[in-house]
Amino acid sequence: QVQLVESGGGLVQAGGSLRLSCAASGGTFTNYVIGWFRQPPGKERDFVAVITWGGRGTSYGDSVKGRFAISRDNAKNTVYLQMNSLKPEDTAVYYCAAAPAGLSSLPRDYHYWGQGTQVTVSS
């Protein structure tokens, strides 16, 4: 079973940047596609980005295209989410999750989830 731990969240001003990390343990990291999702207060969990096991396949949610970048370092069992040009509407709890295959944007396709890290963007 894979365990995922997010880090790197915090408070940032609009226009700023943050880099989130998702560290995995307890399984074969390269067997999994890793996705990022976010959940604003009182709203549903939304897709942010996903990366294939080899790192060459990625997909992004429409609201973050051109601003966020996902990458992975399989030697460190870690996936990163670089977030630039942050906006107040990016405020949410950010979760990473692992799926066995595909570039799914659906939370139901992901088997393992981290506990989340809070990102707050002030205006």
Side-chain angles (χ1 to χ4, degrees):
Q1 185 169 348
V2 176
Q3 290 84 44
L4 302 172
V5 178
E6 303 94 336
S7 62
L11 174 64
V12 64
Q13 289 188 332
S17 299
L18 281 175
R19 188 177 80 158
L20 305 183
S21 298
C22 172
S25 62
T28 304
F29 186 61
T30 52
N31 285 350
Y32 294 93
V33 169
I34 302 295
W36 284 97
F37 293 79
R38 65 186 183 186
Q39 189 165 16
K43 297 185 178 180
E44 294 184 349
R45 195 166 295 189
D46 291 331
F47 170 70
V48 175
V50 60
I51 189 166
T52 58
W53 69 268
R56 285 179 286 184
T58 59
S59 180
Y60 294 90
D62 288 342
S63 62
V64 306
K65 284 180 181 176
R67 300 189 298 123
F68 291 11
I70 190 170
S71 61
R72 67 190 292 165
D73 184 339
N74 287 340
K76 296 182 178 180
N77 285 2
T78 301
V79 170
Y80 303 99
L81 184 68
Q82 178 66 44
M83 305 187 295
N84 300 324
S85 302
L86 283 162
K87 305 174 181 180
E89 51 263 45
D90 293 318
T91 295
V93 177
Y94 283 71
Y95 299 89
C96 65
L103 289 172
S104 177
S105 61
L106 301 175
R108 67 170 182 255
D109 290 333
Y110 290 77
H111 297 183
Y112 305 104
W113 291 82
Q115 82 290 345
T117 185
Q118 176 71 47
V119 172
T120 303
V121 185
S122 63
S123 57

